[in-house]
Amino acid sequence: MIAVEGVTKRYGSIVAVNRASFQVNRGEVVGFLGPNGAGKTTTMRMLTGTLQPDEGAIRFDGEPIADNLTEAKSRVGYLPEANPLYDDMLVCEFLEYVAGLRGMAPGAVRGAISDAVDETGLEEVFFRPISEISKGFRQRTGMAGAILHQPEILVLDEPTEGLDPNQRVEIRKLVNSLGSERTVILSTHVMQEVEAVCDRLLIISRGSIAADGTVAELMDAGRGISRYTVEAEGAGVAEALSGLPGVADHTAVQVNGRARVNLEASGDHELRPEIFRMATERGWVLWELRRERATLEQVFRELTTDQAAAAGVSADAGEEDAE
């Protein structure tokens, strides 16, 4: 449904997005991850038609959106990170205002607002001033505005930013619900949300796509460190384990007279058979032997480590300066 083809966006000398390419299928919920300044917001604004790429093309169903931006924008609902609400309006007034901005036919507004309020659970605050509702309801109000015109594509930029854990869970459920009938692109830094909500992940680093796949695929293919926990009773446990091939680091503590050793090993080589043989040969009593699966956070860090070392000015900061 969405094809991003070699898209580049610059702000002066800053390359915010660098030849990015990816596709999103109809009905997918795709997590869009990256460090601050990686180019996420710039890319999302280009997807909504708010910004135009300097190079490359964005297509909806094979047609370049630049050929008819008005039509393309009508297919997209967008909730920016800075949720643009008017505190002096009632929730109902805000939704009517959004309907007017969207150019919706007067006869369709009431039904559209009713449907959006039902989908986002705004009934109890519908007649309250926006200034008096919680952050969670403010996000729901922004989402109601984004889906008011029944878009096929929903772009959400950090929808749970600043929410407490209970509010995060509620918004997560809402995104799941909204994604049942729409194609959703979700930017977030909260890995639990990604694992709970997203069918697929795109990771962007320094303006380029660093990874594309399901959560399971990215964690299984992680180029990272394997972590092992070994608890054994015997002589020289920590010293012997630290000398195994591929072990890059280890820590050891004594627990009830036993050595509890945490190992970090590079590469895909499986150490558990070797550890078991070593324990047998040396007469250790093996209390625990466990390999920890890489977490999504670890995979993210491994794929974007060089982002932290990037020079001086972030891409998204450059974007804000340009505006």
Side-chain angles (χ1 to χ4, degrees):
M1 184 180 192
I2 302 170
V4 175
E5 301 173 346
V7 165
T8 296
K9 182 64 180 178
R10 302 182 183 87
Y11 298 102
S13 61
I14 298 169
V15 181
V17 179
N18 185 21
R19 299 184 61 80
S21 296
F22 60 86
Q23 295 184 351
V24 178
N25 297 320
R26 189 177 303 276
E28 279 192 309
V29 178
V30 175
F32 195 43
L33 311 181
N36 290 333
K40 298 188 302 299
T41 296
T42 297
T43 302
M44 297 176 92
R45 289 179 179 175
M46 287 190 287
L47 286 170
T48 65
T50 307
L51 292 174
Q52 298 304 302
D54 297 320
E55 299 171 15
I58 296 172
R59 302 177 187 271
F60 291 170
D61 292 325
E63 299 297 324
I65 67 171
D67 289 354
N68 191 341
L69 274 177
T70 300
E71 194 274 337
K73 289 180 179 181
S74 73
R75 300 178 65 181
V76 180
Y78 180 38
L79 178 66
E81 182 177 1
N83 188 1
L85 302 177
Y86 291 97
D87 285 351
D88 56 344
M89 287 184 176
L90 306 180
V91 171
C92 58
E93 291 173 335
F94 173 76
L95 295 179
E96 290 171 354
Y97 177 66
V98 172
L101 292 177
R102 281 286 178 184
M104 297 178 66
V109 171
R110 183 176 297 235
I113 290 176
S114 177
D115 290 343
V117 168
D118 286 344
E119 279 201 81
T120 54
L122 285 173
E123 295 89 345
E124 68 180 273
V125 299
F126 186 60
F127 294 108
R128 289 177 58 186
I130 290 174
S131 61
E132 296 179 6
I133 64 177
S134 69
K135 181 69 183 291
F137 276 122
R138 292 173 71 92
Q139 291 299 88
R140 287 173 179 269
T141 301
M143 287 191 186
I147 66 172
L148 197 59
H149 60 298
Q150 294 296 317
E152 304 166 70
I153 302 165
L154 192 56
V155 179
L156 306 175
D157 194 355
E158 301 286 352
T160 62
E161 184 68 24
L163 301 184
D164 66 36
N166 291 331
Q167 292 170 331
R168 285 182 184 273
V169 170
E170 292 304 313
I171 296 298
R172 196 179 302 163
K173 291 178 181 176
L174 176 57
V175 172
N176 262 326
S177 173
L178 295 176
S180 64
E181 298 181 357
R182 300 174 180 86
T183 301
V184 178
I185 299 176
L186 168 69
S187 170
T188 181
H189 287 106
V190 183
M191 298 301 166
Q192 297 94 321
E193 287 172 12
V194 171
E195 296 188 60
V197 173
C198 298
D199 303 314
R200 196 171 116 236
L201 304 183
L202 293 163
I203 298 179
I204 187 170
S205 179
R206 303 189 72 176
S208 300
I209 302 300
D212 180 354
T214 66
V215 173
E217 286 170 347
L218 293 188
M219 290 198 294
D220 288 344
R223 307 172 302 191
I225 301 293
S226 298
R227 292 171 173 81
Y228 299 84
T229 298
V230 184
E231 190 170 321
E233 184 178 346
V237 173
E239 293 80 0
L241 293 175
S242 66
L244 286 169
V247 172
D249 195 11
H250 79 285
T251 59
V253 295
Q254 291 294 314
V255 179
N256 298 324
R258 304 187 292 268
R260 185 173 181 84
V261 184
N262 294 310
L263 303 173
E264 290 190 355
S266 57
D268 297 327
H269 184 58
E270 173 60 73
L271 293 182
R272 283 176 294 184
E274 295 184 33
I275 294 170
F276 184 80
R277 283 194 294 270
M278 179 178 287
T280 302
E281 292 169 358
R282 299 187 179 219
W284 298 341
V285 178
L286 195 58
W287 289 76
E288 181 179 359
L289 172 54
R290 172 167 50 89
R291 180 178 179 176
E292 298 178 7
R293 189 183 183 194
T295 66
L296 184 58
E297 182 176 352
Q298 289 163 353
V299 173
F300 176 83
R301 286 172 58 84
E302 289 158 11
L303 289 168
T304 61
T305 297
D306 63 343
Q307 179 74 35
V313 184
S314 78
D316 287 339
E319 170 188 333
E320 291 167 4
D321 290 344
E323 294 178 344

